[in-house]
Amino acid sequence: MKLLLATRSQDKVAEIAKILAVVPDLELVSLMDEKIEPLAEEEGIERYSTFEGNAEAKARYFAERSGLPVVADDSGLVVDALDGKPGVHSKRFAPGSGEISGEERDRANNEHLLALLGDLELSGRTARYVCVAAFIREGDETRTFRGEAEGLILGRPRGHGGFGYDPLFYDQKLGKTFAESSRFEKNDRSHRGKAFRALAEHLRSGAAAKGTGPRGPNR
Ligand code: IMP
């Protein structure tokens, strides 16, 4: 099966391709491979209040544009002391972060998060990363696969790897932040790794081929 991965991030393609490599007869292609050019309307796709809603909307949109089976993901950070914020708004959390990008945006978001948490003690700084992968194929109902990674938000950044909130996200089992972890360690523990391994299992089990498998674990 040819499967379109709905992302323009080469890092995500490399990471996810490694996980889905266990699925026999799967040809994973990206938006770049298929020459699906970015359109302004794409900005409005992820407008839902849940990771599932956004991932499904993105998968549906690119399935319509490509005519291919599609997998799309949505992810973010959920902080308990902030009633689940930034959640689906993780990318543009800090005021004005919609107008900046890359490392500058990550820095602004991290500073905003630290300011909101103030001097709250570490035991109260519990959080989790969430990733939902949505798989859609004509004739099948859409399936979603959720992965979560638990951690603590430190009071200052540590490490230079990863991206986004990784320098603040401390994994107690690893004993370090995701930004201090190797790519392999992060993949093994991360929300994205877990969600896509669940998708890989689904594709491998053959249920997807028949279109008769049970609904996703989060339904
Ligand atoms: P997206 O689903 O790739 O658009 O991610 C949304 C936002 O969530 C990112 O811009 C990051 O701020 C945050 N995020 C999601 N996954 C991670 C991660 O693995 N590390 C750090 N930040 C993440």
Side-chain angles (χ1 to χ4, degrees):
M1 171 176 60
K2 187 167 170 176
L3 177 63
L4 175 65
L5 179 59
T7 184
R8 294 199 163 83
S9 156
Q10 287 292 5
D11 278 346
K12 265 196 196 176
V13 174
E15 203 173 300
I16 293 166
K18 219 178 274 173
I19 295 170
L20 296 184
V22 298
V23 183
D25 303 322
L26 185 75
E27 184 195 351
L28 191 68
V29 294
S30 70
L31 294 173
M32 293 78 85
D33 295 329
E34 291 298 301
K35 302 197 170 28
I36 298 175
E37 300 297 332
L39 299 178
E41 66 189 25
E42 289 175 26
E43 281 297 311
I45 302 173
E46 295 180 48
R47 60 179 183 279
Y48 297 91
S49 59
T50 62
F51 295 107
E52 279 78 8
N54 285 329
E56 286 190 24
K58 207 196 297 188
R60 239 186 339 264
Y61 172 82
F62 285 106
E64 272 165 29
R65 266 183 78 179
S66 67
L68 290 170
V70 174
V71 60
D73 76 324
D74 190 38
S75 59
L77 179 69
V78 172
V79 180
D80 293 319
L82 302 179
D83 295 326
K85 288 196 188 97
V88 294
H89 305 294
S90 293
K91 195 169 176 176
R92 299 182 178 91
F93 185 37
S97 57
E99 285 85 60
I100 50 181
S101 59
E103 284 178 18
E104 198 186 352
R105 172 148 70 188
D106 287 348
R107 207 174 314 114
N109 283 335
N110 283 337
E111 282 170 9
H112 186 56
L113 177 59
L114 287 179
L116 290 179
L117 289 177
D119 54 11
L120 185 67
E121 62 182 48
L122 192 60
S123 62
R125 301 169 78 106
T126 52
R128 67 205 52 80
Y129 276 132
V130 176
C131 174
V132 171
F135 170 62
I136 187 165
R137 183 168 57 168
E138 211 186 331
D140 285 351
E141 57 182 312
T142 305
R143 295 279 312 240
T144 57
F145 302 87
R146 174 181 273 243
E148 298 190 358
E150 299 287 334
L152 294 169
I153 304 301
L154 298 183
R156 60 178 180 80
R158 273 173 43 178
H160 300 283
F163 69 101
Y165 300 94
D166 284 347
L168 295 177
F169 189 86
Y170 181 82
D171 181 309
Q172 286 179 284
K173 186 163 177 222
L174 289 174
K176 49 190 170 183
T177 69
F178 272 179
E180 293 173 311
S181 307
S182 68
R183 202 176 260 244
F184 176 80
E185 287 170 323
K186 183 180 167 186
N187 241 342
D188 185 45
R189 302 277 302 154
S190 83
H191 48 316
R192 197 165 294 105
K194 289 173 186 167
F196 278 88
R197 279 194 292 275
L199 168 66
E201 196 43 51
H202 172 69
L203 295 174
R204 221 152 70 126
S205 73
K210 292 182 219 126
T212 54
R215 291 177 72 92
N218 56 321
R219 301 271 191 139

